[in-house]
Amino acid sequence: MLSAIGKKLQSIEKELSPFETRLLPVSKTFPSEAILDAYEYGYKSFGENRVQELLPKFEALPKDIDWHLIGHLQSNKVKYIASFISLIQSVDSEKLLVEIDKQALKAGRQISCLLQIYIAKEETKFGWEPEEVIQFYQTGRLAEFKNIQIKGLMGMASNTSDQAQVRSEFRKLKGLFDALKAFDILPNSKMETLSMGMSGDYLLAAAEGSTMVRMGSSIFGAR
Ligand SMILES: *Cc1c(COP(=O)(O)O)cnc(C)c1O
């Protein structure tokens, strides 16, 4: 018998099956029991958006879980997650890269990151402007971050029912992702993961080339 969460996961996976898009369950605000429920179905990666919430979950839950940080990360919090975080999806500035690199060195490991790109029309969303990222790559400064591996890009589309708007934002992000593949020759940048799409727009994102959708409410319920 599938649990309610198991049923949701199964039906979303079925919808995603025509695409090369992986489902990342976003467990923020949901208790450890909900995470363990999904874990029973083979899910080993989960997204959290706050360090304060991630730390107790990391402590309490099985150690083979890969944790992704998907929310805005303050520089002074990097040290708490540097030893174990699997992927920081929300790297929204060069200043944050500097701190992650420093803490990765201290922790004696490489930290995988996605650059969060600002694609929405909303003022409230964090991220690099597409032009800013291209300029950053062109300066060659990424080579200085020896303890960081850039694995791709993350973005959030506008929270709107205007499908054409959302589609054009996803296309912009996919275009940037493809353009930055030119820098895959660098030792610490490989455009492999394009993290775009949430509960409200995941099928559109998948159709536009997302390799990872981050979904919370449609799996675990309303927050
Ligand atoms: C909360 C969150 C999600 C998941 O949102 P849902 O609408 O619940 O699927 C995805 N990405 C980020 C960055 C989030 O903060």
Side-chain angles (χ1 to χ4, degrees), residues 1-10 34 37-38 40-41:
M1 258 288 279
L2 282 174
S3 67
I5 287 174
K7 280 187 193 142
K8 295 277 174 53
L9 288 165
Q10 192 181 56
D37 191 332
E40 294 296 318
Y41 296 105

Side-chain angles (χ1 to χ4, degrees), residues 114-132:
L114 304 183
L115 300 178
Q116 181 174 353
I117 310 300
Y118 180 86
I119 51 170
K121 271 189 168 166
E122 294 147 28
E123 292 294 317
T124 53
K125 299 206 166 136
F126 292 98
W128 304 62
E129 294 288 342
E131 303 72 32
E132 193 186 355

Side-chain angles (χ1 to χ4, degrees), residues 102-150:
K102 183 176 139 193
Q103 296 299 335
L105 178 65
K106 271 194 190 169
R109 61 188 291 256
Q110 299 261 311
I111 296 183
S112 295
C113 297
L114 304 183
L115 300 178
Q116 181 174 353
I117 310 300
Y118 180 86
I119 51 170
K121 271 189 168 166
E122 294 147 28
E123 292 294 317
T124 53
K125 299 206 166 136
F126 292 98
W128 304 62
E129 294 288 342
E131 303 72 32
E132 193 186 355
V133 176
I134 291 172
Q135 275 172 15
F136 171 69
Y137 268 84
Q138 286 171 341
T139 63
R141 286 204 297 276
L142 183 60
E144 294 165 20
F145 301 104
K146 297 207 170 4
N147 309 288
I148 285 179
Q149 292 289 334
I150 304 289

